[in-house]
Amino acid sequence: MEKSEGRQTGKKVVAVVGGGLVGALNACYFAKRGFNVHVYESREDIRKAKIVKGRSINLALSHRGRQALKRVGMEDKIISKGIPMHARMIHSLSGKQSPIPYGKKGQVNHTALRVSDFFISALLERTDGSKDQIHADLIVGCDGAFSAIRKQFLRRSRFNYSQTYIPHGYMELTMPPINGEFAMKPNYLHIWPRNTFMMIALPNLDKTFTCTLFMPFEDFEKITTGDEVIQFFQNYFPDTIPLIGAEALKKDYFRLPAQAMVSVKCTPYHIGEKCVLMGDAAHAVVPFYGQGMNAGFEDCIVFDELMEQFNEDFSAVLPEYTKVRVPDDHAIADLAMYNYVEVNNVLHFFLPKTIIPLYTMVTFTRIPYHQAVERWHWQNKVNILYFMHYVIVLSGNLTSWLCLYNICVY
């Protein structure tokens, strides 16, 4: 069966492959511009499904993602379905809780292809075995970290691709409400840092918390019985046992095996003027910066800004999108890896207008990711100079201080 309705109306046809977060938002952007948009998704409609199969992980919506939603009039509706996160809450082994703000006051997180001269032809196979032949002026691959669209890019020369699995996996556990209320303070990202592993908890609208345990696979594999689960939590997360429940903990731990986390980089993101990759299909990242969804949403707004700049000329927009976006997406992939062991920037408290924490630049601004990394490297040099200056002042060595001051000014 051939699909070509858009050609009969004179509108360009855009086929969005993947109906997840980035695919759905992309469809809104293209539809707003008047394109004839078709969205293709292999899974059933989760709004109608009685049981939703697949993996999950809680999501943090921050500035970049909100700006992308705002542009299509969706920000307020989405925000109303989330819970604001004002700060992190660090849980020590002794049970002490210490809040650490994200940034300044008001900065809050919210939880088969072939190209022809005239059109792209994609062959889509349905679950019942039937096939659809679709024609489109542009195919947008938003089909995730294991993208079928991206696999076709691998057949082409000069396409660079890499993927890295980290040694850690993740497992989700549920912390139920207590007497109909949240078991912990809800407006925080709760974190239990424990050297080579950690657990986090994020609140849900039904008053539960989703707890995510990040740990090396070899440690997951050492725990084979319910009693070992309880002993492990007693050693490292004792305050969570009465909140999750010992029996529920034993059951949840073995419900699903620990899931893998992969980081994907590739370039270019486009083929001619006919196909482009976005979201995890272009740049899957590990979740330790909370930027996977936000980076994917920012793909949409960046592409739309280029559509405006180049008058919707795909031949100009697609190569420019690769040029602009690849450095940023590679940067956030690296930042996500780095942030697993977060470095606190003390200087921000002394020089708030000059020294901006890396996390603040990434999460609460739209400073391009690669520029955030460049500024972060510069700030690290300033950190060294500043603390040298601080030590010299305390020692009363005025001559050395003046020399250092000249270096700093330069």
Side-chain angles (χ1 to χ4, degrees):
M1 181 188 297
E2 293 192 354
K3 305 286 186 181
S4 57
E5 297 93 327
R7 302 184 183 285
Q8 298 172 5
T9 63
K11 294 181 180 179
K12 287 187 176 180
V13 176
V14 175
V16 178
V17 180
L21 295 168
V22 177
L25 184 59
N26 253 321
C28 294
Y29 270 92
F30 284 111
K32 188 176 180 181
R33 287 190 170 274
F35 289 94
N36 191 330
V37 183
H38 300 273
V39 179
Y40 297 89
E41 170 57 51
S42 62
R43 299 182 182 182
E44 63 179 321
D45 190 335
I46 61 173
R47 295 169 299 179
K48 300 176 182 178
K50 294 181 179 179
I51 299 176
V52 179
K53 297 180 180 180
R55 298 183 296 177
S56 69
I57 194 166
N58 276 42
L59 300 168
L61 178 65
S62 55
H63 179 77
R64 297 171 195 271
R66 292 184 63 168
Q67 290 299 301
L69 291 169
K70 183 178 182 179
R71 193 154 178 151
V72 291
M74 291 292 290
E75 182 186 17
D76 292 341
K77 186 172 183 179
I78 298 300
I79 290 297
S80 70
K81 303 295 184 182
I83 297 174
M85 300 287 100
H86 299 299
R88 309 173 186 91
M89 184 67 79
I90 307 301
H91 294 249
S92 71
L93 191 57
S94 67
K96 180 182 177 181
Q97 299 183 25
S98 305
I100 300 179
Y102 281 112
K104 296 179 181 179
K105 185 177 181 181
Q107 292 180 331
V108 180
N109 272 338
H110 284 277
T111 237
L113 172 70
R114 64 176 182 271
V115 181
S116 74
D117 292 333
F118 304 103
F119 55 81
I120 294 177
S121 174
L123 184 64
L124 301 178
E125 184 171 350
R126 298 185 181 278
T127 54
D128 63 5
S130 62
K131 297 180 179 180
D132 275 353
Q133 186 81 27
I134 65 165
H135 298 308
D137 297 281
L138 177 67
I139 285 183
V140 186
C142 302
D143 51 338
F146 305 101
S147 168
I149 299 296
R150 191 184 62 231
K151 286 180 181 178
Q152 302 306 310
F153 280 54
L154 291 168
R155 297 173 179 268
R156 304 176 65 86
S157 65
R158 300 174 65 191
F159 177 71
N160 296 312
Y161 169 79
S162 68
Q163 69 176 38
T164 303
Y165 281 96
I166 63 173
H168 287 66
Y170 76 92
M171 175 180 291
E172 290 197 341
L173 308 166
T174 300
M175 183 180 292
I178 296 178
N179 298 323
E181 296 298 329
F182 285 106
M184 301 183 296
K185 294 179 180 179
N187 297 115
Y188 293 89
L189 165 58
H190 293 265
I191 306 176
W192 291 259
R194 300 293 185 265
N195 196 14
T196 60
F197 53 89
M198 70 175 182
M199 188 166 72
I200 67 171
L202 285 166
N204 301 306
L205 291 176
D206 62 0
K207 303 295 180 71
T208 64
F209 275 90
T210 298
C211 304
T212 308
L213 175 61
F214 297 98
M215 192 163 65
F217 278 102
E218 60 185 25
D219 290 329
F220 276 116
E221 292 163 1
K222 291 176 183 177
I223 301 172
T224 59
T225 68
D227 289 340
E228 289 175 346
V229 172
I230 299 303
Q231 187 60 57
F232 172 77
F233 272 76
Q234 190 64 56
N235 291 341
Y236 297 106
F237 312 108
D239 56 331
T240 67
I241 296 176
L243 301 179
I244 297 176
E247 292 305 314
L249 189 53
K250 293 178 183 180
K251 181 179 178 182
D252 270 9
Y253 190 91
F254 296 106
R255 184 169 54 89
L256 288 173
Q259 304 295 320
M261 291 175 283
V262 66
S263 180
V264 170
K265 292 181 181 179
C266 67
T267 186
Y269 287 169
H270 71 287
I271 295 177
E273 61 185 80
K274 301 299 184 182
C275 187
V276 65
L277 301 173
M278 295 193 197
D280 283 357
H283 50 82
V285 299
V286 294
F288 303 122
Y289 228 118
Q291 285 293 301
M293 174 181 66
N294 294 287
F297 281 2
E298 193 175 51
D299 288 348
C300 302
I301 194 172
V302 168
F303 194 87
D304 191 67
E305 288 167 349
L306 294 174
M307 290 282 279
E308 189 69 27
Q309 180 180 344
F310 294 104
N311 298 314
E312 300 181 355
D313 179 359
F314 292 154
S315 66
V317 171
L318 269 64
E320 186 67 15
Y321 175 75
T322 285
K323 179 181 177 181
V324 168
R325 201 63 184 145
V326 166
D328 286 335
D329 291 335
H330 287 189
I332 191 55
D334 294 337
L335 286 170
M337 290 288 199
Y338 162 81
N339 202 52
Y340 188 51
V341 180
E342 183 179 347
V343 176
N344 293 317
N345 197 329
V346 179
L347 266 184
H348 177 58
F349 294 99
F350 296 100
L351 304 172
K353 293 183 179 179
T354 303
I355 303 298
I356 305 175
L358 181 59
Y359 189 90
T360 298
M361 288 190 282
V362 169
T363 306
F364 299 113
T365 76
R366 277 199 66 205
I367 295 173
Y369 291 121
H370 77 282
Q371 289 182 16
V373 173
E374 290 171 357
R375 181 164 182 167
W376 170 56
H377 288 312
W378 172 81
Q379 289 179 172
N380 282 342
K381 295 177 182 178
V382 174
N383 286 351
I384 296 171
L385 293 174
Y386 183 86
F387 281 110
M388 287 174 63
H389 162 277
Y390 182 71
V391 170
I392 292 170
V393 169
L394 288 179
S395 69
N397 191 332
L398 182 60
T399 302
S400 297
W401 177 82
L402 288 174
C403 292
L404 183 58
Y405 179 76
N406 288 333
I407 294 173
C408 289
V409 172
Y410 177 78

